[in-house]
Amino acid sequence: MLTRRGILIGAGKLLTLAFVERAEAFIELNQEPLLLPHPKPVTTIGAFWDNDEGWYLLSVGGPTEGPPPAPTWREFLRGRGEMTLDPETLDDMWGLTLSDLDRPVGDDVWSEAWLDMTAEGEAFDLLYGLDLGPDLAGDSDPQVQFHEGGMMGASGRWAIVPDAMSLSLLQARLVELDVGVSLS
């Protein structure tokens, strides 16, 4: 599922048409987004340009390269808050026996579960619920794009920004909202 959200201009004191003009001039001169410093960032989201795709990928930390080694079933279930030693429940929910708990989680389960724990998913979660601006039907305005599940049955989440102006406006909006999230 794709959600496009515009970036609200003129709702606060910082993100004004004058700022948009300043950002345009900065981008033209420097060939990079104008990222205003946040007075007290708690979390920094990196914006990583993807030459092949032509957009910025947002990620807490660096872009995710691939899943780490699978944990044991015991570690996996404990991390999900589902740890039970009841053999009937283990069998019903996961098809496991008590002796299976110290084996690595299977690749099929681990690769799907890992998609919910990526640095890109964390950036998605930090931004998705914020009042960034209205939902958009098209892709012509400055925006943030939120993607969920790239294909049928997939659960990955990520956010992208298509250009330097959208990134500049997103940072200004984050400063304006004072939510402790900053872009770099």
Side-chain angles (χ1 to χ4, degrees), residues 22-32 164:
R22 180 174 156 211
E24 283 175 338
F26 183 90
I27 292 166
E28 188 173 323
L29 179 66
N30 298 290
Q31 298 298 303
E32 63 182 51

Side-chain angles (χ1 to χ4, degrees), residues 39-86:
K40 52 182 184 226
V42 175
T43 303
T44 300
I45 296 176
F48 301 92
W49 179 252
D50 186 320
N51 278 325
D52 295 333
E53 299 293 339
W55 37 251
Y56 291 92
L57 175 66
L58 303 180
S59 176
V60 175
T64 305
E65 295 299 324
T72 65
W73 276 103
R74 185 181 310 275
E75 294 164 335
F76 176 72
L77 293 172
R78 194 172 285 138
R80 292 173 58 103
E82 297 180 25
M83 187 57 198
T84 178
L85 294 179
D86 172 25

Side-chain angles (χ1 to χ4, degrees), residues 3-178:
T3 304
R4 289 186 172 98
R5 212 160 305 139
I7 300 167
L8 203 54
I9 299 172
K13 295 178 181 172
L14 178 61
L15 197 47
T16 62
L17 290 178
F19 177 80
V20 172
E21 290 172 359
R22 180 174 156 211
E24 283 175 338
F26 183 90
I27 292 166
E28 188 173 323
L29 179 66
N30 298 290
Q31 298 298 303
E32 63 182 51
L34 172 61
L35 299 179
L36 297 178
H38 192 289
K40 52 182 184 226
V42 175
T43 303
T44 300
I45 296 176
F48 301 92
W49 179 252
D50 186 320
N51 278 325
D52 295 333
E53 299 293 339
W55 37 251
Y56 291 92
L57 175 66
L58 303 180
S59 176
V60 175
T64 305
E65 295 299 324
T72 65
W73 276 103
R74 185 181 310 275
E75 294 164 335
F76 176 72
L77 293 172
R78 194 172 285 138
R80 292 173 58 103
E82 297 180 25
M83 187 57 198
T84 178
L85 294 179
D86 172 25
E88 188 174 323
T89 304
L90 280 173
D91 183 43
D92 288 347
M93 289 183 66
W94 297 99
L96 299 173
T97 65
L98 289 174
S99 62
D100 294 327
L101 290 176
D102 294 316
R103 288 184 316 134
V105 172
D107 288 342
D108 56 336
V109 173
W110 179 237
S111 61
E112 182 69 19
W114 170 79
L115 286 172
D116 288 331
M117 299 183 272
T118 64
E120 292 83 2
E122 190 175 346
F124 176 103
D125 292 341
L126 285 168
L127 296 173
Y128 190 77
L130 298 178
D131 181 18
L132 301 176
D135 287 349
L136 299 173
D139 58 1
S140 61
D141 296 321
Q143 63 184 271
V144 181
Q145 296 179 7
F146 295 97
H147 296 260
E148 292 182 86
M151 59 188 144
M152 184 72 89
S155 66
R157 297 170 331 284
W158 65 97
I160 62 171
V161 177
D163 54 53
M165 177 56 78
S166 294
L167 199 61
S168 299
L169 298 180
L170 174 59
Q171 173 65 8
R173 183 68 179 146
L174 291 171
V175 170
E176 205 168 64
L177 291 172
D178 194 26

